[in-house]
Amino acid sequence: MGPRLLLVPLACLALLLPPPGAAEFSPSLDSDFTFTLPAGRKECFYQPMRKEASLELEYQVLDGAGLDVDFHLLSPKGETLVFDERKSDGVHTVETEDGDYMFCFDNTFSTISEKVIFFELILDNMGEDGQDEEDWKKYVTGTDLLDMKLEDILESINSVKARLSKSVQIQTLLRAFEARDRNIQESNFDRVNFWSMVNLGVMVVVSAVQVYMLKSLFEDKRKSRT
């Protein structure tokens, strides 16, 4: 069966692209997505990018045997930019050009276990800085009297926005790590319970056999003569 190509849901793309005419301080967009990849399947997603922008993609396998998956990142020209073979996580950043970038998660090597995969996209320089600055200048008057520069305001707000975005990104990654660790703990808990029951069953059978053998040693097997 060939690879199955899925488009990113429209709701996710709507979050990644700014509304028309909206002014931004420092264009930086991010979104995250979690999905289940069945055994023997391959899922691909598309992300439209602009020239001289930056695409950062981080993924983690949260659940599934081996916690591994194959990852491919292809350029709009179909060139392979990144290939990870059977890894549990990865972080990749590429400078982009105009076009649709495709990234795929491949679980065809697994015939039984499905994988739960989390990935996050961080897009930088997706807007037009010059136009955004002109939009904000329309709302600023009397800067000479106040001895204040628009560039200083934008720089301060950019710094705050960058720190907040980084905090949100770190919190998202921590939640992903927590989910993966919890899945591992639950899997270990089920495995311990299973083997404990197996050991208990073996002990019961061995005890029964020992009692039977000891009892047979004291039976009188002599036949009475007539």
Side-chain angles (χ1 to χ4, degrees):
M1 181 181 294
R4 180 185 179 191
L5 301 181
L6 292 181
L7 292 178
V8 177
L10 294 180
C12 293
L13 285 178
L15 294 176
L16 295 179
L17 297 178
E24 301 171 77
F25 296 109
S26 176
S28 178
L29 307 170
D30 57 64
S31 64
D32 56 84
F33 190 52
T34 302
F35 70 101
T36 300
L37 180 59
R41 298 285 290 276
K42 178 180 180 180
E43 301 286 359
C44 294
F45 301 85
Y46 291 91
Q47 174 58 48
M49 296 297 298
R50 298 178 180 177
K51 187 177 181 180
E52 297 181 354
S54 175
L55 169 63
E56 180 179 347
L57 191 149
E58 177 164 354
Y59 68 91
Q60 295 181 28
V61 182
L62 302 181
D63 194 15
L67 294 176
D68 54 357
V69 71
D70 290 346
F71 173 77
H72 304 260
L73 177 61
L74 283 76
S75 69
K77 298 179 181 179
E79 301 173 347
T80 299
L81 302 178
V82 176
F83 173 63
D84 291 341
E85 185 176 4
R86 303 193 68 169
K87 289 190 175 182
S88 60
D89 56 74
V91 181
H92 302 287
T93 303
V94 295
E95 300 300 322
T96 62
E97 57 187 19
D98 290 329
D100 294 336
Y101 283 76
M102 181 175 71
F103 53 97
C104 302
F105 299 94
D106 191 349
N107 194 31
T108 55
F109 59 84
S110 178
T111 57
I112 300 176
S113 176
E114 64 181 16
K115 306 294 172 61
V116 178
I117 299 175
F118 162 85
F119 68 86
E120 181 179 21
L121 293 176
I122 301 175
L123 313 180
D124 290 325
N125 301 325
M126 292 294 288
E128 299 178 358
D129 293 338
Q131 182 63 38
D132 295 336
E133 185 172 328
E134 291 298 327
D135 291 338
W136 276 97
K137 283 182 178 180
K138 295 187 299 182
Y139 302 98
V140 179
T141 58
T143 54
D144 294 337
L145 298 177
L146 298 176
D147 194 18
M148 184 180 299
K149 294 183 180 179
L150 175 62
E151 290 78 7
D152 297 334
I153 299 176
L154 293 178
E155 182 178 357
S156 300
I157 298 178
N158 280 336
S159 177
V160 174
K161 183 176 182 293
R163 293 172 187 270
L164 291 176
S165 299
K166 190 64 177 179
S167 298
V168 172
Q169 179 186 359
I170 293 176
Q171 290 176 357
T172 302
L173 295 179
L174 290 177
R175 287 197 298 269
F177 281 119
E178 180 185 2
R180 183 174 66 177
D181 293 341
R182 183 172 62 252
N183 290 331
I184 294 176
Q185 291 176 356
E186 291 177 354
S187 176
N188 292 337
F189 177 75
D190 294 337
R191 191 172 302 174
V192 169
N193 284 340
F194 172 77
W195 287 110
S196 297
M197 295 301 297
V198 171
N199 289 335
L200 180 60
V202 171
M203 291 175 61
V204 171
V205 171
V206 170
S207 300
V209 172
Q210 289 179 343
V211 170
Y212 174 78
M213 294 183 65
L214 288 174
K215 185 178 180 181
S216 64
L217 292 177
F218 293 95
E219 287 182 353
D220 188 5
K221 298 181 180 180
R222 292 176 301 175
K223 297 181 178 180
S224 59
R225 297 180 180 178
T226 57

